[in-house]
């Protein structure tokens, strides 16, 4: 005789279990991918995850994406303390909550947020701001109270960008977590925690692409493809993708690019090539690589008077950029953005709802799905250029 149990009933049961665990919350031992030092592979270790303190949330991670930003820590181009648990693009379930948490409860499906939204600082209160004062982009590696919740072999292990998702369990501040629709598939919507939102938001929120416009996207990785999807959603009539690797062109066309070119195909500066191709009518350009030279190329490629160029790719640390100020004097707008300019706790749940309504397709961005224990293989795929997004499942 079959026993039929509704998903709602199962979720209620899970919620009850997690609520009981929240009351009884203690140290959890679990597996995590620890980076002990720069330029070394991840080591799968047993760690201890302390219970959440006041205004903190402990999350069981279900799926997490591999992002280029994580690789920056390995290579030493992004500041971090060691040992550290990186990872910042994930979906999970709230396991337990600390005192004073009101926005999520045990059993909720959530996305951890590397860009917090405290709703109290100047950036959060300004309708155009999103770089919350609680953001950890300088590598502090601790939660709001100045301490870590991870230990391994008796040593403290540091957090990464308020999230640390390369672990079976993590602890985040309440301002760094967003409740999402329970129907959302974790191995797909985890991309909304970073890569997709960063690119999509750059087009629709920061760039404010207008219908009928011409857009140029420099760099056709996962974030670049997400920019294309954002431009298409905003109604751009022409979207030109640019990359040295022509193998990326097919995927770019599949998500909405109208054409793709390689700078290698002409001896002329890319700005001149694009001006000739478009009749000098480029409204928006997006630099999604993080190279200083390409940032200047992108700025020069939008219309000299009414064009807008958006820096999306994270620039190399401790580098200075030199450019001709006439590029701006004539009227161009040059903007940057973090997380696509989106307000994380407000906008992430909305994007998940739009995904469930089939407004955009995240499958186009996911090329590999691997078990968590194969994390080093996932980074090999990233560095060899074979993957757009690899998702690790637990």
């Amino acid at each position: 005789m079959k026993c039929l149990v509704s998903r709602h009933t199962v979720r209620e049961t899970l919620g009850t279990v997690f609520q009981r665990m929240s009351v009884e919350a203690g140290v959890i031992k679990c597996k995590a991918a620890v980076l002990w030092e720069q330029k070394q592979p991840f080591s799968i270790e047993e760690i201890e995850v302390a219970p959440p303190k006041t205004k903190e949330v402990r999350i069981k991670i279900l799926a997490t994406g591999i992002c280029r930003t994580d690789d920056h820590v390995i290579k030493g181009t992004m500041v971090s303390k060691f040992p550290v648990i990186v990872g910042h693009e994930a979906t999970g379930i709230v396991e337990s909550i600390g005192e004073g948490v009101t926005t999520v409860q045990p059993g909720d499906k959530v996305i951890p947020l590397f860009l917090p939204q405290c709703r109290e600082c100047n950036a959060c209160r300004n309708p155009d701001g999103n770089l919350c004062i609680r953001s950890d982009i300088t590598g502090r590696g601790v939660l709001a109270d100045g301490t870590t919740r991870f230990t391994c072999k008796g040593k403290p292990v540091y957090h990464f960008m308020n999230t640390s998702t390369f672990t079976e369990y993590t602890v985040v501040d309440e301002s760094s977590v967003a409740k999402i629709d329970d129907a959302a598939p974790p191995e797909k919507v985890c991309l909304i925690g970073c890569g997709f939102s960063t690119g999509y938001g750059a087009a629709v929120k920061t760039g404010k692409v207008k219908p009928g416009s011409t857009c140029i996207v420099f760099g056709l990785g996962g974030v670049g493809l997400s920019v294309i999807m954002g431009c298409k959603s905003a109604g751009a009539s022409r979207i030109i993708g640019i990359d040295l690797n022509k193998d990326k062109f097919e995927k770019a066309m599949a998500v909405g690019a109208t054409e793709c070119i390689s700078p290698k195909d002409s001896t002329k500066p890319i700005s001149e090539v694009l001006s000739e191709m478009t009749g000098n009518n480029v409204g928006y350009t997006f630099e999604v690589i993080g190279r200083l030279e390409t940032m200047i190329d992108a700025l020069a490629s939008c219309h000299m008077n009414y064009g807008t160029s958006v820096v999306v790719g994270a620039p190399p640390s401790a580098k200075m950029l030199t450019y001709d100020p006439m590029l701006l004097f004539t009227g161009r707008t040059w903007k940057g953005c973090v997380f696509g300019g989106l307000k994380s706790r407000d906008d992430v749940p909305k994007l998940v709802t739009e995904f469930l309504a089939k407004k955009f397709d995240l499958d186009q961005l996911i090329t590999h799905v691997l078990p968590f224990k194969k994390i080093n293989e996932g980074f090999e795929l990233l560095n060899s250029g074979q993957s757009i997004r690899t998702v690790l499942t637990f």
Side-chain angles (χ1 to χ4, degrees), residues 83-140:
V84 64
I85 296 171
V86 295
H88 62 283
E89 183 182 82
T91 311
I93 298 280
V94 175
E95 176 269 336
S96 58
I97 57 176
E99 184 179 348
V101 173
T102 60
T103 58
V104 296
Q105 62 183 355
D108 285 346
K109 187 173 284 186
V110 295
I111 289 180
L113 306 169
F114 76 87
L115 186 70
Q117 186 184 351
C118 72
R119 298 186 171 134
E120 297 171 356
C121 70
N122 289 341
C124 285
R125 290 164 65 90
N126 188 297
D128 295 323
N130 78 331
L131 189 57
C132 179
I133 196 171
R134 296 188 185 181
S135 303
D136 182 13
I137 56 176
T138 58
R140 287 183 296 111

Side-chain angles (χ1 to χ4, degrees), residues 191 195-201 203 217-233 239-243 245 247-257 260 286 288-289 312 360-367 387-389:
L191 271 64
F196 173 76
S197 300
T198 296
Y200 191 83
V217 181
F218 288 76
L220 302 178
V223 179
L225 295 178
S226 300
V227 173
I228 291 174
M229 293 164 75
C231 293
K232 181 180 179 181
S233 175
I239 306 169
I240 302 173
I242 298 178
D243 204 291
N245 183 356
D247 291 341
K248 297 181 178 181
F249 290 179
E250 182 179 356
K251 180 70 75 171
M253 299 287 284
V255 301
C260 294
F286 300 87
V288 204
I289 302 168
V312 188
F360 49 82
D361 180 12
L362 294 173
D363 286 340
Q364 299 277 9
L365 305 177
I366 301 169
T367 52
S387 67
I388 297 174
R389 242 338 173 253

Side-chain angles (χ1 to χ4, degrees), residues 25-218:
V27 173
I28 288 178
K29 291 186 177 182
C30 68
K31 296 295 184 182
V34 178
L35 268 181
W36 290 100
E37 55 185 303
Q38 289 178 9
K39 299 176 182 176
Q40 295 295 320
F42 290 94
S43 177
I44 303 296
E45 306 278 5
E46 181 178 83
I47 66 165
E48 293 81 42
V49 183
K53 294 185 180 181
T54 300
K55 288 286 188 178
E56 293 178 357
V57 180
R58 188 160 60 184
I59 302 169
K60 176 179 173 59
I61 300 297
L62 301 175
T64 182
I66 291 177
C67 176
R68 180 70 66 179
T69 302
D70 303 310
D71 192 56
H72 290 338
V73 178
I74 300 173
K75 290 184 168 57
T77 57
M78 187 169 184
V79 178
S80 177
K81 294 178 180 177
F82 292 88
V84 64
I85 296 171
V86 295
H88 62 283
E89 183 182 82
T91 311
I93 298 280
V94 175
E95 176 269 336
S96 58
I97 57 176
E99 184 179 348
V101 173
T102 60
T103 58
V104 296
Q105 62 183 355
D108 285 346
K109 187 173 284 186
V110 295
I111 289 180
L113 306 169
F114 76 87
L115 186 70
Q117 186 184 351
C118 72
R119 298 186 171 134
E120 297 171 356
C121 70
N122 289 341
C124 285
R125 290 164 65 90
N126 188 297
D128 295 323
N130 78 331
L131 189 57
C132 179
I133 196 171
R134 296 188 185 181
S135 303
D136 182 13
I137 56 176
T138 58
R140 287 183 296 111
V142 290
L143 296 184
D145 75 338
T147 62
T148 173
R149 302 293 165 268
F150 303 127
T151 55
C152 181
K153 300 178 181 177
K155 298 179 180 179
V157 178
Y158 291 99
H159 295 250
F160 177 66
M161 294 182 75
N162 304 291
T163 48
S164 292
T165 61
F166 291 163
T167 170
E168 292 177 318
Y169 287 87
T170 191
V171 178
V172 303
D173 292 307
E174 185 181 15
S175 58
S176 293
V177 62
K179 179 182 176 181
I180 62 171
D181 193 310
D182 188 54
E187 73 283 358
K188 296 180 183 180
V189 299
C190 61
L191 271 64
I192 293 175
C194 180
F196 173 76
S197 300
T198 296
Y200 191 83
V204 302
K205 182 72 180 286
T206 302
K208 294 181 173 60
V209 170
K210 295 178 181 177
S213 58
T214 295
C215 300
I216 312 295
V217 181
F218 288 76

Side-chain angles (χ1 to χ4, degrees), residues 288-329:
V288 204
I289 302 168
R291 292 181 68 250
L292 301 184
E293 298 83 358
T294 323
M295 292 176 189
I296 301 299
D297 287 340
L299 178 63
S301 296
C302 67
H303 192 274
M304 65 184 297
N305 179 234
Y306 56 77
T308 295
S309 186
V310 182
V311 175
V312 188
S317 59
K319 296 290 184 181
M320 299 298 289
L321 183 148
T322 303
Y323 68 98
D324 181 354
M326 190 60 70
L327 289 171
L328 295 178
F329 178 75

